Amino acid sequence: MSASLSDSRPAPSRRRRRRRPLRLVAGLGVLVGIAGYFAAQYDSNGGPGAPRCTVRAAAGGSGEGAAYEMSPEQASNAATIAAVGTRKGLPVRAVTIALATAMQESGLRNLRRGDRDSLGLFQQRPSQGWGTARQILDPVYSAGIFYDRLAEVRGYSRLPLTVAAQRVQMSGFPQAYAKHEPDAQLLAGALTGREPAAVTCRGPVAQVAGSAARVRTALVRDFGPGVLPGGAKGASVPASPLAVPAGSERRGWAVAHWAVSQAAALDLVEVSYAGRVWTAGKHGGSWRTAEAPSTEVLLTPSAG
């Protein structure tokens, strides 16, 4: 037996020596993975000084001091989701549920891939009857069909957000929606016009000429033809700035915040409404007092 033990003792030692490099490689792999994760997060957030959009709670309100930051891409998608809800005449609660869902499913990015055949802002699946891949990758369509299915949930506005979202999405992680509710409420309040001058975006001024016709088309795409007299076509020679009838102060701020959120995508350099003006690349992208208050929302494309 002693001979047997003597013969067997070196073997475990040799096995341990062989394992150490493997453990080292595995450990390095974990570190590389973690580093890659944080690099991706840094890149997706743009890093310091990158163009950013911010939504802040109104001073004096219950949520004073709350803020949510996002990239121009995320802001543009959030604005479209809110505008489609506004067009459908849905309550702010519906917009909050939609935004929280998109925050969880895609980080407010229009993803071209996901789990199995999931796509878009809400990670909807063509194989599950949500539409074609092309349709789902259209933010207006994907938001619209989300709202349509949400409206089929009886009493959704009184349900906990996680329950309402889950009845639409059938997610494997339904509780994950809850952590986005405070930010989604903040976003929904601003993008539906409840909070004035709450959305700001900072970044470089567009170096290419914008198009009032393109802004018209985008407005009608998101809000519907009733947002502008004459719909997307309007006058034969679009005006600059483009004047959008407010209808009501809340409606006016919904359009103004939409425009600021879409400024990078539509090459807008100025948005003015209700005695306030936002100018791209100046004053930190914040709102300031306008020299000539307007009852319409004035949108000015870049001159290039």
Side-chain angles (χ1 to χ4, degrees):
M1 183 176 289
S2 61
S4 175
L5 285 173
S6 176
D7 291 341
S8 64
R9 279 174 189 155
S13 177
R14 285 195 297 271
R15 283 195 296 271
R16 283 196 294 269
R17 282 197 295 271
R18 282 195 293 270
R19 284 175 182 169
R20 280 172 190 162
L22 294 175
R23 288 173 181 170
L24 180 60
V25 170
L28 287 172
V30 171
L31 290 174
V32 169
I34 291 171
Y37 169 80
F38 283 110
Q41 292 295 332
Y42 182 87
D43 181 66
S44 68
N45 290 333
R52 301 297 291 167
C53 294
T54 305
V55 179
R56 295 189 186 280
S62 58
E64 183 175 1
Y68 180 75
E69 279 201 351
M70 52 194 161
S71 70
E73 175 199 358
Q74 292 169 310
S76 175
N77 289 327
T80 292
I81 291 170
V84 173
T86 299
R87 181 181 72 192
K88 288 178 171 290
L90 296 172
V92 177
R93 181 62 175 171
V95 177
T96 299
I97 295 168
L99 288 169
T101 302
M103 286 175 173
Q104 172 59 29
E105 297 292 349
S106 68
L108 290 173
R109 293 178 176 87
N110 197 20
L111 302 178
R112 292 187 169 273
R113 62 177 63 89
D115 178 44
R116 288 169 284 189
D117 59 338
S118 300
L119 296 167
L121 291 170
F122 297 90
Q123 290 291 279
Q124 295 154 338
R125 300 179 60 192
S127 64
Q128 300 300 308
W130 285 95
T132 66
R134 183 174 181 178
Q135 287 175 319
I136 292 170
L137 287 170
D138 174 3
V140 174
Y141 173 89
S142 63
I145 196 169
F146 177 89
Y147 285 124
D148 289 346
R149 295 201 178 180
L150 179 64
E152 294 172 0
V153 177
R154 186 174 180 179
Y156 73 84
S157 62
R158 299 185 299 275
L159 293 174
L161 186 144
T162 52
V163 175
Q166 174 65 0
R167 289 189 183 175
V168 176
Q169 295 291 108
M170 302 301 291
S171 168
F173 305 94
Q175 294 306 314
Y177 300 119
K179 64 177 178 277
H180 300 289
E181 186 165 3
D183 291 330
Q185 286 177 332
L186 183 63
L187 265 177
L191 293 173
T192 59
R194 281 191 166 187
E195 302 287 353
V199 179
T200 60
C201 290
R202 61 174 170 81
V205 178
Q207 299 300 306
V208 298
S211 164
R214 188 158 67 96
V215 177
R216 277 183 170 273
T217 300
L219 272 165
V220 172
R221 176 199 67 201
D222 285 10
F223 284 99
V227 71
L228 284 170
K233 294 181 179 179
S236 56
V237 180
S240 183
L242 177 65
V244 183
S248 66
E249 185 174 353
R250 179 173 169 180
R251 173 79 165 184
W253 278 115
V255 172
H257 287 153
W258 173 91
V260 172
S261 301
Q262 301 280 0
L266 296 175
D267 300 315
L268 291 170
V269 294
E270 189 170 280
V271 178
S272 180
Y273 176 62
R276 307 294 294 277
V277 62
W278 171 88
T279 306
K282 295 181 179 179
H283 310 285
S286 60
W287 292 87
R288 67 185 193 281
T289 303
E291 295 180 5
S294 173
T295 57
E296 297 175 304
V297 185
L298 303 178
L299 312 179
T300 305
S302 168

